[in-house]
């Protein structure tokens, strides 16, 4: 069965600083990988996705993620964080067959002025 | 393009009661998935419907059931509510083709509180 680990429960960065959120997955085949963002009390917004091809994928709001098969990782990055980026971030992997998403437990991002 | 909508926004029920949550898919999408998100956790897959048929189910008991209608809207029904059913219930829609089915767009959720 597939699983997703987000090692960092809570991260605090200063506005304008760079950001990297870690995601490790466990899956036997080529994974479909996603990053979602959730503001308090809201649903999930898709930031970016990886199906195949170029291992560096660009998303919305200036985010990017890099798929590294050798490390089973799909880390999310942003060169300069804005106060509006404060939210919960979820990494997810697609499960073959039922086409469901398996989510990590999330990383809460706090942005200091 | 209309996004995914869910109703109601909030709901308070008593243990043992039954509840129905509703979801309207994003325009053009024929697949609906439901997830349960407990406080402080990531969403957990409940089940998925594709063209009115259940297309996969997560580790949830049979008292969680669903429907999908010809217009691809969907309902989640939960019978015999338990306190642990208190959570944010998220609906997501996608296209039914292979890779596109994984690209799921979520609604704002229904917050269910069971007392």
């Amino acid at each position: 069965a597939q699983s997703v680990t987000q090692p960092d429960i809570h991260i605090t960065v200063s506005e304008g600083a760079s950001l990297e959120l870690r995601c490790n997955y466990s899956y036997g085949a080529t994974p479909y990988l996603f990053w979602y963002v959730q503001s308090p009390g809201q649903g999930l917004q898709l930031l970016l996705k990886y199906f195949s091809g170029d291992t560096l994928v660009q998303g919305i709001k200036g985010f990017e993620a890099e798929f590294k098969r050798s490390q089973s990782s799909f880390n999310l990055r942003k060169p300069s964080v804005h106060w509006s980026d404060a939210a919960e971030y979820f990494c997810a992997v697609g499960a073959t067959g039922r086409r469901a998403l398996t989510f990590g437990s999330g990383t809460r991002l706090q942005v200091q002025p | 393009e209309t996004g995914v909508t869910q109703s109601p926004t909030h709901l308070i029920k008593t243990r043992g009661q039954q509840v129905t949550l509703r979801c309207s898919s994003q325009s053009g999408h024929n697949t609906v998935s439901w997830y349960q998100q407990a406080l402080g956790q990531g969403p957990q897959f409940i089940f998925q419907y594709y063209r009115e048929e259940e297309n996969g189910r997560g580790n949830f008991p049979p008292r969680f059931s669903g429907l999908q209608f010809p217009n691809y809207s969907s309902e989640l029904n939960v019978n015999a509510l338990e306190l642990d059913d208190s959570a944010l219930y998220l609906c997501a829609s996608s296209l039914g083709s292979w890779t596109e089915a994984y690209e799921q767009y979520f609604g704002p959720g229904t917050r269910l509180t069971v007392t």
Side-chain angles (χ1 to χ4, degrees):
Chain A
Q2 65 286 337
S3 65
V4 177
T5 301
Q6 294 180 247
D8 304 305
I9 296 172
H10 188 198
I11 284 183
T12 301
V13 299
S14 298
E15 190 169 16
S18 63
L19 171 69
E20 181 168 22
L21 302 183
R22 296 184 291 163
C23 172
N24 294 97
Y25 66 89
S26 173
Y27 188 60
T30 301
Y32 298 149
L33 295 162
F34 306 84
W35 275 98
Y36 284 86
V37 61
Q38 185 177 37
S39 297
Q42 301 299 311
L44 300 165
Q45 182 181 22
L46 179 63
L47 285 176
L48 46 77
K49 59 187 183 285
Y50 172 79
F51 287 123
S52 65
D54 194 345
T55 57
L56 184 64
V57 294
Q58 301 298 320
I60 62 172
K61 303 185 179 186
F63 285 94
E64 67 178 26
E66 186 171 12
F67 170 56
K68 293 185 177 180
R69 184 187 300 276
S70 62
Q71 298 178 18
S72 297
S73 68
F74 188 58
N75 294 348
L76 181 71
R77 300 194 294 247
K78 187 170 185 178
S80 178
V81 169
H82 188 261
W83 63 266
S84 60
D85 293 324
E88 186 100 24
Y89 291 81
F90 291 94
C91 180
V93 61
T96 56
R98 65 184 185 189
R99 304 176 190 174
L101 297 178
T102 297
F103 286 85
S105 54
T107 297
R108 179 162 298 278
L109 173 66
Q110 189 172 0
V111 181
Q112 287 183 332
Chain B
E1 185 177 273
T2 306
V4 179
T5 60
Q6 293 185 242
S7 62
T9 305
H10 296 89
L11 204 50
I12 299 175
K13 289 286 189 178
T14 303
R15 189 171 49 185
Q17 287 187 317
Q18 177 267 341
V19 68
T20 297
L21 310 181
R22 295 179 174 82
C23 171
S24 292
S25 303
Q26 183 168 313
S27 177
H29 287 182
N30 56 13
T31 300
V32 173
S33 304
W34 285 92
Y35 292 81
Q36 180 195 65
Q37 186 179 21
L39 203 60
Q41 302 294 320
Q44 291 203 339
F45 175 71
I46 302 174
F47 45 58
Q48 182 181 89
Y49 279 82
Y50 170 63
R51 293 184 176 177
E52 303 177 60
E53 297 285 333
E54 189 177 289
N55 188 40
R57 188 178 184 92
N59 189 26
F60 280 82
R63 59 189 186 85
F64 285 79
S65 63
L67 281 173
Q68 188 181 29
F69 300 100
N71 66 354
Y72 303 129
S73 64
S74 176
E75 288 182 354
L76 164 65
N77 299 290
V78 187
N79 293 321
L81 283 167
E82 301 178 359
L83 296 178
D84 284 349
D85 295 333
S86 295
L88 182 67
Y89 288 85
L90 295 164
C91 167
S93 73
S94 56
L95 289 171
S97 59
W98 183 242
T99 53
E100 285 82 359
Y102 292 94
E103 188 171 335
Q104 297 180 8
Y105 292 87
F106 285 79
T110 293
R111 173 73 62 189
L112 173 64
T113 302
V114 182
T115 61

